[in-house]
Coordinates of all heavy atoms in Angstrom, one line a residue:
M1 N 34.8 5.7 -5.7 CA 35.4 4.7 -6.5 C 36.9 4.9 -6.6 O 37.4 6.0 -6.8 CB 34.8 4.8 -7.9 CG 34.6 3.5 -8.6 SD 33.7 3.7 -10.2 CE 32.9 2.1 -10.1
S2 N 37.7 3.8 -6.5 CA 39.1 4.0 -6.6 C 39.6 3.9 -8.0 O 38.9 3.4 -8.9 CB 39.8 2.8 -5.8 OG 39.5 1.6 -6.4
N3 N 40.8 4.5 -8.3 CA 41.4 4.5 -9.6 C 42.1 3.2 -9.8 O 42.9 2.8 -8.9 CB 42.3 5.7 -9.8 CG 41.6 7.0 -9.8 OD1 40.4 7.1 -10.1 ND2 42.2 8.1 -9.4
Y4 N 41.9 2.6 -10.9 CA 42.7 1.4 -11.3 C 42.7 1.3 -12.8 O 42.0 2.0 -13.5 CB 42.1 0.2 -10.7 CG 40.8 -0.3 -11.3 CD1 40.8 -1.1 -12.4 CD2 39.6 0.2 -10.9 CE1 39.6 -1.5 -13.0 CE2 38.4 -0.2 -11.5 CZ 38.4 -1.0 -12.6 OH 37.3 -1.4 -13.2
S5 N 43.6 0.5 -13.3 CA 43.6 0.3 -14.7 C 43.8 -1.2 -14.9 O 44.5 -1.9 -14.2 CB 44.7 1.1 -15.5 OG 46.0 0.7 -15.0
R6 N 43.0 -1.7 -15.9 CA 43.1 -3.2 -16.2 C 43.9 -3.3 -17.5 O 43.8 -2.6 -18.4 CB 41.7 -3.7 -16.5 CG 41.6 -5.1 -16.8 CD 40.1 -5.5 -16.8 NE 39.4 -5.0 -17.9 CZ 39.0 -5.6 -19.0 NH1 39.2 -6.9 -19.1 NH2 38.3 -5.0 -19.9
V7 N 44.8 -4.3 -17.5 CA 45.7 -4.5 -18.6 C 44.9 -5.4 -19.6 O 44.3 -6.4 -19.3 CB 47.0 -5.3 -18.2 CG1 47.9 -5.6 -19.4 CG2 47.8 -4.5 -17.2
I8 N 45.0 -4.9 -20.9 CA 44.3 -5.7 -22.0 C 45.4 -6.4 -22.7 O 46.3 -5.9 -23.2 CB 43.5 -4.7 -22.9 CG1 42.5 -4.0 -22.1 CG2 43.0 -5.5 -24.1 CD1 41.7 -2.9 -22.9
L9 N 45.2 -7.8 -22.8 CA 46.2 -8.6 -23.4 C 45.7 -9.1 -24.8 O 44.5 -9.1 -25.1 CB 46.5 -9.8 -22.6 CG 46.9 -9.6 -21.1 CD1 46.9 -10.9 -20.3 CD2 48.2 -8.8 -21.0
N10 N 46.7 -9.5 -25.7 CA 46.3 -10.0 -27.0 C 45.9 -11.5 -26.8 O 45.9 -12.1 -25.7 CB 47.3 -9.8 -28.0 CG 48.6 -10.5 -27.8 OD1 48.7 -11.3 -26.8 ND2 49.6 -10.3 -28.6
R11 N 45.6 -12.2 -27.9 CA 45.2 -13.6 -27.8 C 46.2 -14.5 -27.2 O 45.9 -15.5 -26.5 CB 45.0 -14.1 -29.3 CG 43.6 -13.8 -29.8 CD 43.4 -14.5 -31.0 NE 43.2 -13.5 -32.1 CZ 43.2 -13.7 -33.3 NH1 43.4 -14.9 -33.8 NH2 43.1 -12.7 -34.2
S12 N 47.5 -14.2 -27.4 CA 48.6 -15.1 -26.9 C 49.0 -14.7 -25.4 O 49.9 -15.2 -24.9 CB 49.8 -15.1 -27.8 OG 50.3 -13.8 -27.9
G13 N 48.3 -13.7 -24.9 CA 48.5 -13.4 -23.5 C 49.6 -12.3 -23.3 O 50.0 -12.1 -22.1
K14 N 50.0 -11.7 -24.3 CA 51.1 -10.6 -24.2 C 50.5 -9.3 -24.0 O 49.4 -9.0 -24.5 CB 51.9 -10.6 -25.5 CG 52.8 -11.9 -25.7 CD 53.6 -11.8 -26.9 CE 54.9 -11.0 -26.6 NZ 55.7 -10.9 -27.8
D15 N 51.2 -8.5 -23.2 CA 50.7 -7.1 -22.9 C 51.0 -6.2 -24.2 O 52.1 -6.1 -24.6 CB 51.5 -6.5 -21.7 CG 51.1 -5.1 -21.3 OD1 50.1 -4.6 -21.9 OD2 51.7 -4.6 -20.4
I16 N 49.9 -5.7 -24.7 CA 50.1 -4.9 -26.0 C 50.1 -3.4 -25.7 O 50.1 -2.6 -26.6 CB 49.0 -5.3 -27.0 CG1 47.6 -5.1 -26.4 CG2 49.3 -6.7 -27.5 CD1 46.5 -5.3 -27.4
G17 N 50.0 -3.0 -24.5 CA 50.1 -1.6 -24.1 C 48.7 -0.9 -24.0 O 48.7 0.3 -23.8
L18 N 47.6 -1.6 -24.1 CA 46.3 -1.0 -23.9 C 45.8 -1.2 -22.5 O 46.1 -2.2 -21.9 CB 45.3 -1.6 -24.9 CG 45.5 -1.4 -26.3 CD1 44.5 -2.1 -27.2 CD2 45.6 0.1 -26.7
R19 N 45.2 -0.2 -21.9 CA 44.6 -0.2 -20.6 C 43.2 0.2 -20.6 O 42.8 0.9 -21.5 CB 45.4 0.7 -19.7 CG 46.9 0.5 -19.6 CD 47.2 -0.8 -18.9 NE 48.7 -1.0 -18.7 CZ 49.4 -1.8 -19.5 NH1 48.9 -2.3 -20.6 NH2 50.7 -1.9 -19.3
E20 N 42.5 -0.2 -19.6 CA 41.1 0.2 -19.4 C 41.0 0.8 -17.9 O 41.4 0.1 -17.0 CB 40.1 -0.9 -19.6 CG 38.7 -0.5 -19.4 CD 37.7 -1.7 -19.5 OE1 38.1 -2.8 -19.5 OE2 36.5 -1.4 -19.6
D21 N 40.5 2.0 -17.8 CA 40.4 2.5 -16.4 C 39.0 2.2 -15.8 O 38.2 1.5 -16.4 CB 40.6 4.0 -16.4 CG 39.6 4.8 -17.1 OD1 38.6 4.3 -17.5 OD2 39.8 6.1 -17.2
N22 N 38.8 2.6 -14.6 CA 37.6 2.3 -13.8 C 36.4 2.8 -14.4 O 35.3 2.4 -14.1 CB 37.8 2.7 -12.3 CG 38.0 4.2 -12.2 OD1 38.5 4.8 -13.1 ND2 37.6 4.7 -11.1
R23 N 36.4 3.8 -15.3 CA 35.3 4.3 -16.0 C 35.0 3.6 -17.3 O 34.0 3.9 -18.0 CB 35.5 5.8 -16.3 CG 35.6 6.6 -15.1 CD 36.0 8.0 -15.4 NE 37.4 8.0 -16.0 CZ 37.8 8.9 -16.9 NH1 37.1 9.9 -17.3 NH2 39.1 8.7 -17.3
G24 N 35.9 2.7 -17.7 CA 35.7 1.9 -19.0 C 36.4 2.5 -20.2 O 36.2 2.0 -21.3
A25 N 37.1 3.6 -20.0 CA 37.8 4.3 -21.0 C 39.1 3.5 -21.4 O 39.8 3.1 -20.4 CB 38.2 5.7 -20.7
I26 N 39.3 3.3 -22.6 CA 40.5 2.5 -23.0 C 41.6 3.6 -23.4 O 41.3 4.5 -24.2 CB 40.2 1.6 -24.2 CG1 39.3 0.5 -23.7 CG2 41.5 1.0 -24.8 CD1 38.9 -0.5 -24.7
F27 N 42.8 3.4 -23.0 CA 43.9 4.3 -23.3 C 45.2 3.5 -23.6 O 45.3 2.3 -23.3 CB 44.1 5.3 -22.2 CG 44.5 4.8 -20.8 CD1 45.8 4.7 -20.4 CD2 43.5 4.3 -20.0 CE1 46.1 4.1 -19.2 CE2 43.8 3.8 -18.7 CZ 45.1 3.7 -18.3
I28 N 46.2 4.2 -24.1 CA 47.4 3.6 -24.5 C 48.5 3.8 -23.5 O 48.7 4.9 -23.0 CB 47.9 4.1 -25.9 CG1 46.9 3.8 -27.0 CG2 49.3 3.7 -26.3 CD1 47.1 4.4 -28.3
E29 N 49.3 2.8 -23.2 CA 50.5 2.9 -22.4 C 51.6 3.1 -23.4 O 52.1 2.1 -24.0 CB 50.7 1.7 -21.5 CG 51.9 1.8 -20.6 CD 51.7 2.8 -19.5 OE1 50.6 2.9 -18.9 OE2 52.6 3.5 -19.2
P30 N 52.1 4.3 -23.7 CA 53.0 4.6 -24.9 C 54.3 3.8 -24.8 O 54.7 3.3 -25.9 CB 53.2 6.1 -24.8 CG 52.2 6.6 -23.9 CD 51.7 5.5 -23.0
K31 N 54.9 3.6 -23.7 CA 56.2 2.9 -23.6 C 56.1 1.5 -24.1 O 57.0 1.0 -24.7 CB 56.7 3.0 -22.2 CG 57.2 4.3 -21.7 CD 57.7 4.3 -20.3 CE 58.1 5.7 -19.9 NZ 58.6 5.7 -18.5
I32 N 55.0 0.9 -23.9 CA 54.8 -0.5 -24.4 C 54.2 -0.5 -25.8 O 54.7 -1.3 -26.7 CB 53.8 -1.3 -23.4 CG1 54.5 -1.4 -22.0 CG2 53.6 -2.7 -23.9 CD1 53.5 -1.9 -21.0
Y33 N 53.2 0.3 -26.0 CA 52.5 0.2 -27.3 C 53.4 0.6 -28.5 O 53.3 -0.1 -29.5 CB 51.3 1.2 -27.2 CG 50.4 1.2 -28.4 CD1 49.4 0.2 -28.5 CD2 50.4 2.2 -29.4 CE1 48.5 0.1 -29.5 CE2 49.5 2.2 -30.4 CZ 48.6 1.1 -30.5 OH 47.7 1.1 -31.5
F34 N 54.2 1.6 -28.4 CA 55.0 2.0 -29.5 C 56.3 1.2 -29.7 O 57.1 1.5 -30.6 CB 55.3 3.5 -29.4 CG 54.1 4.3 -29.6 CD1 53.5 5.1 -28.6 CD2 53.4 4.4 -30.9 CE1 52.3 5.8 -28.8 CE2 52.3 5.1 -31.1 CZ 51.7 5.8 -30.0
K35 N 56.6 0.3 -28.8 CA 57.7 -0.7 -29.0 C 57.3 -1.8 -29.9 O 58.2 -2.5 -30.4 CB 58.1 -1.2 -27.6 CG 59.0 -0.3 -26.8 CD 59.4 -1.0 -25.5 CE 60.2 -0.1 -24.6 NZ 60.6 -0.7 -23.4
N36 N 56.0 -2.1 -30.1 CA 55.5 -3.2 -30.9 C 55.9 -3.0 -32.3 O 55.6 -2.0 -32.9 CB 54.0 -3.2 -30.7 CG 53.3 -4.4 -31.4 OD1 53.8 -4.9 -32.4 ND2 52.2 -4.8 -30.8
A37 N 56.5 -4.0 -32.9 CA 57.0 -4.0 -34.3 C 55.9 -3.8 -35.3 O 56.0 -3.0 -36.3 CB 57.8 -5.2 -34.6
K38 N 54.7 -4.4 -35.0 CA 53.5 -4.2 -35.9 C 53.1 -2.8 -35.9 O 52.8 -2.2 -37.0 CB 52.4 -5.1 -35.4 CG 51.9 -6.1 -36.3 CD 50.7 -6.8 -35.7 CE 50.6 -8.2 -36.3 NZ 49.5 -8.9 -35.8
I39 N 53.0 -2.1 -34.8 CA 52.6 -0.8 -34.7 C 53.6 0.2 -35.4 O 53.2 1.1 -36.1 CB 52.4 -0.3 -33.2 CG1 51.4 -1.2 -32.5 CG2 52.0 1.1 -33.1 CD1 50.0 -1.2 -33.1
K40 N 54.9 -0.1 -35.1 CA 55.9 0.7 -35.8 C 55.8 0.6 -37.3 O 55.9 1.6 -38.0 CB 57.3 0.3 -35.4 CG 57.7 0.7 -34.0 CD 59.1 0.2 -33.7 CE 59.6 0.6 -32.4 NZ 61.0 0.2 -32.1
A41 N 55.5 -0.6 -37.8 CA 55.4 -0.8 -39.3 C 54.1 0.0 -39.8 O 54.2 0.6 -40.9 CB 55.3 -2.3 -39.6
I42 N 53.0 -0.1 -39.1 CA 51.8 0.6 -39.5 C 52.1 2.2 -39.5 O 51.7 2.8 -40.5 CB 50.6 0.3 -38.6 CG1 50.2 -1.2 -38.8 CG2 49.5 1.2 -38.8 CD1 49.3 -1.7 -37.8
I43 N 52.7 2.7 -38.5 CA 53.0 4.1 -38.4 C 53.9 4.5 -39.6 O 53.7 5.5 -40.2 CB 53.6 4.5 -37.1 CG1 52.5 4.3 -36.0 CG2 54.1 5.9 -37.1 CD1 53.0 4.4 -34.6
K44 N 54.9 3.7 -39.8 CA 55.9 4.0 -40.9 C 55.1 4.0 -42.3 O 55.3 4.9 -43.1 CB 57.0 3.0 -40.9 CG 58.1 3.3 -42.0 CD 59.2 2.4 -41.9 CE 60.2 2.7 -43.0 NZ 61.3 1.8 -43.0
T45 N 54.3 3.0 -42.5 CA 53.6 2.9 -43.8 C 52.7 4.1 -44.0 O 52.6 4.7 -45.0 CB 52.7 1.6 -43.8 OG1 53.6 0.5 -43.6 CG2 52.0 1.5 -45.1
I46 N 52.0 4.5 -42.9 CA 51.1 5.7 -43.0 C 51.9 7.0 -43.2 O 51.5 7.8 -44.0 CB 50.2 5.8 -41.8 CG1 49.2 4.6 -41.8 CG2 49.4 7.1 -41.7 CD1 48.4 4.5 -40.5
S47 N 53.0 7.1 -42.5 CA 53.7 8.4 -42.7 C 54.4 8.5 -44.0 O 54.6 9.6 -44.5 CB 54.8 8.5 -41.5 OG 55.8 7.5 -41.7
E48 N 54.7 7.4 -44.7 CA 55.3 7.4 -46.0 C 54.3 7.5 -47.1 O 54.7 7.7 -48.3 CB 56.2 6.2 -46.2 CG 57.5 6.2 -45.3 CD 58.3 4.9 -45.4 OE1 57.8 3.9 -46.0 OE2 59.4 4.9 -44.9
S49 N 53.0 7.2 -46.8 CA 52.0 7.3 -47.8 C 51.6 8.8 -48.1 O 52.1 9.7 -47.4 CB 50.8 6.5 -47.4 OG 50.1 7.2 -46.3
N50 N 50.8 9.0 -49.0 CA 50.3 10.3 -49.3 C 49.0 10.7 -48.6 O 48.4 11.7 -48.8 CB 50.1 10.5 -50.8 CG 51.4 10.5 -51.6 OD1 52.4 11.0 -51.1 ND2 51.4 10.0 -52.8
I51 N 48.6 9.8 -47.6 CA 47.4 10.0 -46.9 C 47.7 11.1 -45.8 O 46.8 11.9 -45.6 CB 47.0 8.7 -46.1 CG1 46.7 7.6 -47.2 CG2 45.8 8.9 -45.2 CD1 46.4 6.3 -46.5
V52 N 48.8 11.1 -45.2 CA 49.1 12.0 -44.2 C 49.8 13.3 -44.7 O 50.8 13.2 -45.5 CB 50.1 11.4 -43.1 CG1 50.4 12.3 -42.0 CG2 49.4 10.1 -42.6
K53 N 49.3 14.4 -44.4 CA 49.8 15.7 -44.8 C 50.6 16.3 -43.7 O 50.2 16.5 -42.6 CB 48.7 16.6 -45.2 CG 49.1 18.0 -45.7 CD 47.9 18.8 -46.0 CE 48.4 20.2 -46.3 NZ 47.2 21.1 -46.5
K54 N 51.9 16.7 -44.0 CA 52.7 17.3 -43.0 C 52.4 18.8 -43.0 O 52.5 19.5 -44.0 CB 54.2 17.1 -43.3 CG 54.6 15.7 -43.1 CD 56.1 15.5 -43.3 CE 56.5 14.1 -43.2 NZ 57.9 13.9 -43.5
E55 N 52.0 19.3 -41.9 CA 51.7 20.7 -41.7 C 52.7 21.4 -40.9 O 53.2 20.9 -39.9 CB 50.3 20.9 -41.2 CG 49.2 20.5 -42.1 CD 47.8 20.8 -41.5 OE1 47.8 21.6 -40.5 OE2 46.9 20.4 -42.1
T56 N 53.1 22.6 -41.3 CA 54.0 23.4 -40.4 C 53.2 24.5 -39.8 O 52.3 25.1 -40.4 CB 55.2 24.0 -41.3 OG1 54.6 24.7 -42.4 CG2 56.0 22.9 -41.9
P57 N 53.5 24.9 -38.6 CA 52.8 26.0 -38.0 C 53.0 27.3 -38.7 O 54.1 27.6 -39.1 CB 53.3 26.0 -36.5 CG 54.5 25.2 -36.5 CD 54.5 24.3 -37.7
K58 N 51.9 28.0 -38.8 CA 51.9 29.3 -39.5 C 52.4 30.4 -38.5 O 52.0 30.4 -37.4 CB 50.6 29.7 -40.1 CG 50.2 28.8 -41.2 CD 48.8 29.1 -41.8 CE 48.5 28.1 -42.8 NZ 47.2 28.4 -43.4
K59 N 53.3 31.2 -39.0 CA 53.8 32.3 -38.1 C 53.3 33.6 -38.4 O 52.9 33.9 -39.5 CB 55.3 32.3 -38.2 CG 56.0 31.0 -37.6 CD 57.4 31.1 -37.7 CE 58.1 29.8 -37.1 NZ 59.5 29.8 -37.1

């Protein structure tokens, strides 16, 4: 079986950075996915909330 990835588009036909490989696994194309303003807003909201705990490595 050859390696390939299928581009997953949103309803309006725009590339949102998601891919599906020949095994059916869905993965993120980071350069496209993290440029999306919606994704940036979600990440910012989560990081500013008290849901996410910042951990520092123990030495």
Side-chain angles (χ1 to χ4, degrees):
M1 214 174 215
S2 64
N3 292 335
Y4 72 90
S5 63
R6 183 171 66 106
V7 176
I8 298 173
L9 306 174
N10 66 5
R11 277 188 244 170
S12 58
K14 292 180 82 177
D15 183 3
I16 55 174
L18 296 178
R19 304 289 186 264
E20 180 183 15
D21 67 6
N22 58 333
R23 296 171 295 152
I26 294 177
F27 61 96
I28 295 172
E29 184 67 41
K31 290 181 182 179
I32 298 170
Y33 188 75
F34 292 111
K35 284 183 182 179
N36 187 329
K38 242 185 203 179
I39 300 302
K40 285 182 180 181
I42 291 169
I43 291 170
K44 184 177 179 182
T45 302
I46 292 172
S47 66
E48 291 174 349
S49 71
N50 291 327
I51 297 171
V52 179
K53 179 181 172 186
K54 292 183 182 177
E55 292 187 9
T56 57
K58 295 180 181 180
K59 293 181 179 181

